[in-house]
Amino acid sequence: MAWPAAAVAQQPTIGYLDPRSPGTTPSFVSGWRVGLREAGYVEGQNLAVEYRWTEGQPDNMKAMAADLARRPLAAIIAAGNLAAATVKAATSTIPIVFIVSVDPVAFGLVDGLSRSAGNATGVTTFSSELVAKRLELLREMVPGAAVAAALTNPTNPNTKSDTRHVEAAARALAMKIHVLSASDDRDLDVAFATAKDRLVAAMSVHSDQFFDTRRHRIAALAERYGIPTIFNNREFVVAGGLMSYGENRSDTYRLAGGYAGRVLRGEKPSDLPVLQPTNFELAINLKTAKALGVTVPQSILIRADEVIE
């Protein structure tokens, strides 16, 4: 009777910090669990996980990171730019595996992509590099769109880089671009109303974790205002968005889970180079296209990895 309890007491424990809520990221969580399982660790069998979700309240992040840093954890998975930066500030000893969209060197998480002297490593999507591709796909979807909008979150450290990339892409496509900002629900309403007033014919929503938590709301606003919109991941398309192009989030989180497993086996973060995803996907929602009066070009349909009918 005592042996299982003793075994459980000796199993390693990792932390997981995420600014969203559990219900908004099921495919992400299942992704890093797959990575851990591939490395030989299964939650509830030979691994325990301490979860911390800020539920879209970033002010709680610092206290949650500090709480995790006080615990005898074997590693902490930090989901997102803010989570990674906050955990990095909270501990210099517990190994950190991050999933971020920024350049982790410029962001201060590591001092090199191939090797780092610190306690952190992980996966970066370098999301700004995909901004131009999304605008190109949006123009292909809506060929007559001469005026477009880019929705950004001014609190996101990627915003300046994203803005530079989308403005350069718009110039190359001979499109006028309006950069709109939103960091709360009221801002979202104002942004879409402004887009409508400015005769915006298409919109690109940039990668941001606040937007992730509001994907159903954003998809509904895009349909209400009749604005064809592209997003950075397929979860928006499942929620009713028109189209998305970006890395496969489940696979990205799987890579992070695999790194957490390697740390649990004794490898040091400093020996694990920062990874970049290589699996990208294009998703289309035909029901939304019909509601918006958009005819999806065959050139896009044949390249789509997922078509929701």
Side-chain angles (χ1 to χ4, degrees):
M1 295 288 290
W3 180 83
V8 170
Q10 295 171 5
Q11 70 183 2
T13 302
I14 64 172
Y16 179 77
L17 181 62
D18 196 309
R20 295 159 295 202
S21 59
T24 63
T25 58
S27 64
F28 305 167
V29 174
S30 63
W32 62 256
R33 283 174 176 161
V34 169
L36 279 165
R37 186 167 62 249
E38 291 172 347
Y41 293 93
V42 179
E43 183 181 358
Q45 294 184 17
N46 61 350
L47 177 70
V49 182
E50 288 276 354
Y51 291 96
R52 298 294 183 273
W53 308 87
T54 72
E55 305 280 350
Q57 302 296 323
D59 291 344
N60 298 332
M61 185 76 72
K62 187 174 181 179
M64 289 184 176
D67 178 54
L68 289 174
R70 287 192 293 267
R71 297 176 180 273
L73 301 176
I76 299 174
I77 297 177
N81 303 332
L82 179 59
T86 308
V87 171
K88 178 70 173 174
T91 178
S92 60
T93 56
I94 300 174
I96 299 166
V97 177
F98 54 72
I99 306 104
V100 297
S101 60
V102 294
D103 178 345
V105 177
F107 201 52
L109 296 174
V110 295
D111 52 26
L113 295 178
S114 58
R115 291 182 65 88
S116 176
N119 63 319
T121 188
V123 187
T124 179
T125 64
F126 283 112
S127 67
S128 292
E129 297 180 3
L130 298 177
V131 167
K133 179 64 175 179
R134 292 193 193 101
L135 194 63
E136 291 170 8
L137 286 166
L138 193 58
R139 180 62 176 269
E140 189 175 348
M141 177 71 85
V142 191
V147 182
L151 183 63
T152 67
N153 184 342
T155 68
N156 190 316
N158 266 0
T159 294
K160 288 185 178 179
S161 177
D162 285 352
T163 299
R164 287 196 302 270
H165 279 77
V166 78
E167 289 177 340
R171 286 193 297 271
L173 294 168
M175 298 176 73
K176 183 176 182 179
I177 191 81
H178 294 285
V179 178
L180 306 175
S181 299
S183 57
D184 58 35
D185 288 333
R186 182 181 178 281
D187 288 347
L188 288 174
D189 294 334
V190 171
F192 275 91
T194 300
K196 189 68 174 179
D197 290 343
R198 294 181 181 178
L199 304 180
V200 164
M203 179 183 291
S204 176
V205 174
H206 291 183
S207 177
D208 183 77
Q209 290 187 322
F210 167 69
F211 296 157
D212 285 345
T213 67
R214 299 296 192 275
R215 58 177 176 262
H216 288 89
R217 182 184 183 89
I218 294 172
L221 284 167
E223 185 168 339
R224 182 195 308 170
Y225 284 96
I227 302 175
T229 304
I230 190 168
F231 303 91
N232 69 301
N233 67 74
R234 65 174 293 277
E235 280 74 17
F236 283 92
V237 178
V238 173
L242 174 62
M243 63 189 300
S244 67
Y245 180 76
E247 80 281 359
N248 182 307
R249 286 293 185 90
S250 294
D251 190 58
T252 299
Y253 277 68
R254 180 187 65 81
L255 294 174
Y259 259 15
R262 292 176 66 173
V263 168
L264 288 169
R265 291 203 304 261
E267 295 188 59
K268 297 179 180 179
S270 57
D271 294 330
L272 300 174
V274 175
L275 299 174
Q276 289 182 255
T278 57
N279 189 4
F280 298 90
E281 57 187 6
L282 171 64
I284 308 292
N285 189 318
L286 292 183
K287 181 180 178 181
T288 301
K290 182 178 180 180
L292 292 169
V294 172
T295 300
V296 181
Q298 191 66 22
S299 60
I300 286 182
L301 279 177
I302 61 176
R303 280 144 55 201
D305 299 281
E306 182 176 8
V307 177
I308 298 175
E309 299 187 47

